[in-house]
Amino acid sequence: MAPLAPKPRPGVLDIEAYVPGESQVPGGLKPVKLSSNETPLGPSPKAIEAFTAAGSALERYPDGQASALRQAIARRFGLNPDRIVCGAGSDELISLIAHAYLGPGDEGLYTEHGFLLYRIVILAAGATPVVAPETNLRTDVDAILARVTPRTRIVFLANPNNPTGTYLAIDEVRRLRASLPADVLLVLDAAYAEYVRRNDYEAGLELVATTENTVMTRTFSKIFGLAGLRIGWAYCPAAVADALNRIRGPFNLSAPSIAAGAAAMDDWSHIETAVRHNEQWLPWLTAEIEKLGFSVTPSVANFILVHFSTSPGRDAVACDTFLKQRGIIVRRVAGYGLPNALRITIGTEAENRKVVEALTAFAGARA
Ligand SMILES: Cc1ncc(COP(=O)(O)O)c(C=O)c1O
């Protein structure tokens, strides 16, 4: 008989752990890492300065309210700081939301190629994941609404979505909100909002401000260049902020994170530079890769989804291996139901050119 041992709750061991983008390549090459949608420009120098300064008082607990950070965010966007909850990355906030609003018997809904963390947090809360199909790699509001049941408690929507890079226009987000039952929480995950250059896009601030059942999450990991510090924030109705504040760790952000995040938020010129960089290189990379004969899903974020043929030696796995041998790390997305695609983050000019060179060689080699 097996000795007695502690057992996690039923279901925990059925969860497939999130697999982060890779960061190593063979042969000790210095990798070109384009697998996690990090910014090639790094953080604001002011954020680095604030981070370094925070190192002089590490024996002290941080401010458990992250006040300086919440105030900096509130100033930038004209928000009520009481409704902002910060977390160790938006990952933590998404997880806290699931734990606060889902339990056994409840259903959490997300879309077919939606960010994989949603499934994990729904299962971790003991609830049942329900997946709404997408249409041409885009969120389909009617398909989501068709899957709402009396058990639905949360709808998670990444907008823009990772890994597709597509987005849902604000009119459609509003229609979704208006058509969902009032007791269903709509979570708008706007991790890539700063990159979007479309008149019909909004991250959801106004919806949060004008409804009692919509939350928006944001991150400092992408355009702010602070992925290593783990900083995210949620803008919430007062009742949701109250629930999250009750269950979060009392000091869930470190002092260096609070200081660097606040300084980064105050340096908007750095963000504008990053937006301009993306505006230049997103269309360039898309066009160059299309010229090679691959199809690319139109993206509004800082990454693109490239589609490959299914023939052995020409497929996404073969291309991934080919790129890795040249020191380039991109993201396989089979776990997202996209086995024939690779996701590539927009890098520096030199990195983008290297990707095109390598894909040109792959396209030539495959003929
Ligand atoms: C759509 C989306 N949401 C949330 C996150 C989590 O970001 P973080 O926890 O670093 O804030 C990511 C990261 O890849 C993402 O792509």
Side-chain angles (χ1 to χ4, degrees):
M1 223 171 68
L4 274 181
K7 276 205 199 106
R9 278 191 291 111
V12 169
L13 298 183
D14 299 331
I15 297 174
E16 280 187 48
Y18 183 83
V19 182
E22 291 181 55
S23 53
Q24 311 270 328
V25 286
L29 288 171
K30 185 175 180 298
V32 171
K33 184 175 181 289
L34 303 173
S35 55
S36 301
N37 301 339
E38 297 144 335
T39 171
L41 304 189
S44 154
K46 292 181 180 145
I48 298 173
E49 219 174 274
F51 171 80
T52 310
S56 66
L58 294 183
E59 71 283 10
R60 300 280 175 219
Y61 275 95
D63 168 17
Q65 310 302 320
S67 302
L69 180 56
R70 288 191 299 113
Q71 277 158 13
I73 297 166
R75 265 197 310 278
R76 167 65 45 200
F77 294 103
L79 305 178
N80 176 352
D82 296 342
R83 299 228 186 154
I84 297 171
V85 180
C86 293
S90 47
D91 280 354
E92 186 191 23
L93 294 160
I94 291 164
S95 175
L96 287 172
I97 291 166
H99 281 283
Y101 289 91
L102 292 175
D106 296 334
E107 292 173 357
L109 233 160
Y110 62 96
T111 66
E112 188 179 357
H113 306 293
F115 184 43
L116 269 182
L117 185 69
Y118 308 146
R119 179 179 184 81
I120 294 174
V121 299
I122 292 165
L123 287 168
T128 305
V130 176
V131 181
E134 296 183 8
T135 305
N136 295 329
L137 304 180
R138 287 170 189 280
T139 297
D140 179 335
V141 168
D142 294 311
I144 295 176
L145 293 173
R147 276 149 192 86
V148 172
T149 75
R151 297 178 164 210
T152 310
R153 298 269 69 85
I154 297 188
V155 172
F156 287 106
L157 184 69
N159 194 26
N161 185 44
N162 168 18
T164 55
T166 58
Y167 76 106
L168 189 64
I170 188 65
D171 283 355
E172 280 292 278
V173 179
R174 288 202 190 99
R175 181 166 79 85
L176 173 62
R177 176 63 277 171
S179 310
L180 285 171
D183 63 349
V184 171
L185 188 64
L186 175 62
V187 179
L188 300 173
D189 173 351
Y192 302 94
E194 295 83 2
Y195 286 109
V196 186
R197 288 304 182 250
R198 292 289 187 281
N199 291 335
D200 59 353
Y201 174 81
E202 281 178 30
L205 286 172
E206 195 205 323
L207 261 181
V208 175
T210 55
T211 65
E212 294 303 317
N213 41 23
T214 310
V215 174
M216 180 201 62
T217 59
R218 302 280 279 263
T219 183
F220 283 76
S221 302
K222 307 300 175 185
I223 205 162
F224 289 88
L226 294 171
L229 280 184
R230 315 302 304 124
I231 315 169
W233 58 284
Y235 193 50
C236 313
V240 176
D242 178 47
L244 301 184
N245 279 324
R246 286 169 194 262
I247 62 168
R248 70 176 172 84
F251 304 103
N252 59 334
L253 264 79
S254 70
S257 298
I258 295 168
M265 194 46 89
D266 282 340
D267 184 6
W268 206 252
S269 68
H270 187 75
I271 303 305
E272 284 165 356
T273 306
V275 168
R276 279 198 299 277
H277 178 87
N278 207 60
E279 265 180 323
Q280 177 177 2
W281 292 103
L282 172 68
W284 183 84
L285 200 60
T286 305
E288 292 297 315
I289 293 176
E290 279 176 342
K291 276 188 219 161
L292 297 173
F294 302 107
S295 95
V296 180
T297 302
S299 169
V300 295
N302 68 332
F303 54 86
I304 51 173
L305 190 66
V306 184
H307 301 270
F308 295 84
S309 106
T310 50
S311 339
R314 302 176 173 204
D315 57 15
V317 172
C319 184
D320 183 44
T321 308
F322 188 93
L323 292 177
K324 215 167 274 165
Q325 281 159 355
R326 283 154 185 78
I328 301 171
I329 310 176
V330 299
R331 188 77 145 96
R332 285 194 197 174
V333 283
Y336 285 90
L338 297 162
N340 299 321
L342 294 174
R343 192 194 69 196
I344 307 178
T345 305
I346 307 302
T348 60
E349 171 173 357
E351 289 170 338
N352 298 333
R353 292 191 185 281
K354 201 164 169 186
V355 165
V356 170
E357 257 169 52
L359 285 177
T360 306
F362 179 73
R366 67 190 187 128

